[in-house]
Amino acid sequence: MSAKNIASSAYEWVDERLGLTELAAFARHKQVPVHKHSFWYYWGGLSLFFFIVQCLTGVLLLVYYRPGADAYESVRQITISMHFGWLIRSLHSWSANLMIFSVVVHMFSVFFMKAYRKPREFGWFSGLGLLALAMVFGFSGYLLPMDDLAFFATKVGLQIPATVPVVGPVIANMLRGGLEVNEFTVQRFFALHVVVLPALFLPLLGFHLWLVQKHGNAAPPSVEALPAAERKSIPFFPNFAMKDLGMWLIALNILALLAAVFPWALGKQYDPLAPAPLGIHPEWYFMSPFELLKLIGAVLPGEIGELAGMGLVNIAILLWLVIPFYDTRSASGRRARLTHYFGLAAIFAVLFTTILGYWSVR
Ligand code: HEM
């Protein structure tokens, strides 16, 4: 029997049992529309790329990281003593930020292409779930080195869930493992970061990607309105996948440059008795709600202000979530326009409060 015959018999054997031909047909059927906004289709793939980097570098960090009272010392060893430990740590931290940045760009591009409309509503909901989980990944990971910045930023950050009425203080205490941020908190954040969050994130990501494969990429309404003969598209496999790989290569270069030229710093070991360093603030992706709560707190001091702030943030999130029910395919042109302006206002509000936040902690 020739090698070719052996290979085709082996393929048939596996195909009969696992249905490879159906899988290959499912992979091949996806088409990617080609138009002047096609560039924005890369951002979901870029988010995926940075997530893969997170998994690979995270596993390497796990080899030497020790949660609990020894956390700071283990990160110090990774950064100073282990061969290329500093680079792996730097890649993990930079890629975490680039991943959240890519997810945010991806979310707004999906929004402005109106890709949340039927039949892609679940893509929108699962995507928002992924963004929320990615932010909790970032928040829990930030504490793990237990340097002074991580310690104080987490203390400040945990004040946000603590403002939720009734259950807030209970949630904050549960996350902290007591009334103070200490080695028990690191232990909990570690479990969250490497077990609970991946266990939630991975199936949700699988669902999200399956939906994209099932429905294909949405074309923006202006392209959908064209006659069929004028709409162009290319197959995802292999044509667009090759372009995606090209973008991943560019992303890898940018990440490597950032991680090597600006290695991620490790501050002094945390000291709960020391005064908080000046200008303590949460990560950039939490700056907007943080600043909004501060602004409202300045106008309405005390519990009322905290409640009003949390209420406003939650209403904004809820409105963002239900957009696919408001701006549907059959919605009027007025609704479509209003939704577009709502998106522009959201970008402006997030940018404005973020810049103001950095300005006020200078
Ligand atoms: C880690 C987070 C995420 C990953 C890895 C991811 C990945 C992807 C990928 C690879 C695609 C196909 C390529 C593309 O259209 O860009 C996609 C499409 C999509 N994503 Fe995400 N995504 C994430 C978060 C989000 C978020 C936050 C939203 C919105 C709230 C979202 C909503 C969608 C929708 C509606 C589509 C279909 C777009 C279309 O049909 O053109 N995703 N995602």
Side-chain angles (χ1 to χ4, degrees), residues 42-62:
Y42 290 120
W43 289 88
L46 284 173
S47 312
L48 184 62
F49 168 75
F50 289 120
F51 178 68
I52 296 171
V53 173
Q54 285 313 94
C55 297
L56 297 178
T57 50
V59 169
L60 289 177
L61 289 173
L62 258 183

Side-chain angles (χ1 to χ4, degrees), residues 173-343:
N173 282 351
M174 229 167 76
L175 283 170
R176 260 192 305 254
L179 294 175
E180 292 298 329
V181 174
N182 54 29
E183 64 261 34
F184 295 111
T185 324
V186 185
Q187 190 75 39
R188 283 174 189 219
F189 274 39
F190 178 68
L192 195 66
H193 196 74
V194 305
V195 180
V196 180
L197 290 172
L200 297 173
F201 195 91
L202 283 170
L204 194 60
L205 179 59
F207 177 60
H208 192 75
L209 297 181
W210 174 75
L211 286 173
V212 181
Q213 185 61 36
K214 183 170 163 57
H215 297 303
N217 284 97
S222 57
V223 176
E224 267 190 358
L226 294 174
E230 283 175 41
R231 275 182 261 149
K232 284 190 234 116
S233 67
I234 53 171
F236 181 78
F237 280 113
N239 307 43
F240 195 79
M242 285 299 155
K243 289 170 178 262
D244 252 346
L245 276 182
M247 284 305 266
W248 286 22
L249 205 60
I250 295 173
L252 179 65
N253 277 278
I254 293 174
L255 173 64
L257 264 177
L258 286 171
V261 179
F262 305 104
W264 208 259
L266 177 67
K268 287 197 298 254
Q269 182 159 16
Y270 90 100
D271 174 2
L273 301 175
L278 281 180
I280 275 297
H281 59 81
E283 288 278 73
W284 59 269
Y285 41 88
F286 286 115
M287 195 50 136
S288 171
F290 177 72
E291 180 60 20
L292 191 75
L293 291 180
K294 241 170 67 182
L295 286 176
I296 295 179
V299 183
L300 284 173
E303 234 170 66
I304 299 279
E306 284 175 355
L307 274 179
M310 278 311 275
L312 202 69
V313 172
N314 283 321
I315 289 173
I317 294 174
L318 196 70
L319 286 180
W320 197 243
L321 186 73
V322 300
I323 275 169
F325 297 123
Y326 177 75
D327 182 20
T328 57
R329 251 173 219 286
S330 50
S332 62
R334 191 171 151 270
R335 277 194 181 198
R337 264 194 315 280
L338 271 178
T339 311
H340 184 83
Y341 293 135
F342 180 59

Side-chain angles (χ1 to χ4, degrees), residues 41 44-45 48 103 106 110 120 123-124 127-128 201 205 208 212 216-218:
Y41 291 137
L48 184 62
V103 175
H106 170 54
V110 159
R120 295 182 178 78
W124 180 254
L128 278 179
F201 195 91
L205 179 59
H208 192 75
V212 181
N217 284 97

Side-chain angles (χ1 to χ4, degrees), residues 68-206:
D70 222 13
Y72 179 81
E73 182 51 25
S74 69
V75 176
R76 207 185 61 81
Q77 282 172 1
I78 291 173
T79 315
I80 293 172
S81 317
M82 308 300 169
H83 286 303
F84 295 108
W86 66 272
L87 184 61
I88 301 297
R89 197 179 147 236
S90 194
L91 285 170
H92 195 73
S93 306
W94 273 109
S95 167
N97 284 281
L98 291 175
M99 173 176 153
I100 295 193
F101 176 75
S102 309
V103 175
V104 172
V105 175
H106 170 54
M107 178 180 76
F108 278 109
S109 50
V110 159
F111 178 90
F112 287 112
M113 285 209 228
K114 298 200 179 287
Y116 46 75
R117 286 178 169 179
K118 188 182 165 191
R120 295 182 178 78
E121 293 92 331
F122 280 109
W124 180 254
F125 305 140
S126 56
L128 278 179
L130 288 171
L131 174 60
L133 289 176
M135 289 170 80
V136 185
F137 256 121
F139 183 66
S140 54
Y142 197 66
L143 178 70
L144 298 184
M146 267 312 231
D147 59 3
D148 51 357
L149 214 67
F151 172 75
F152 285 106
T154 305
K155 249 179 114 160
V156 173
L158 281 176
Q159 286 165 4
I160 299 183
T163 56
V164 176
V166 193
V167 288
V170 181
I171 294 175
N173 282 351
M174 229 167 76
L175 283 170
R176 260 192 305 254
L179 294 175
E180 292 298 329
V181 174
N182 54 29
E183 64 261 34
F184 295 111
T185 324
V186 185
Q187 190 75 39
R188 283 174 189 219
F189 274 39
F190 178 68
L192 195 66
H193 196 74
V194 305
V195 180
V196 180
L197 290 172
L200 297 173
F201 195 91
L202 283 170
L204 194 60
L205 179 59

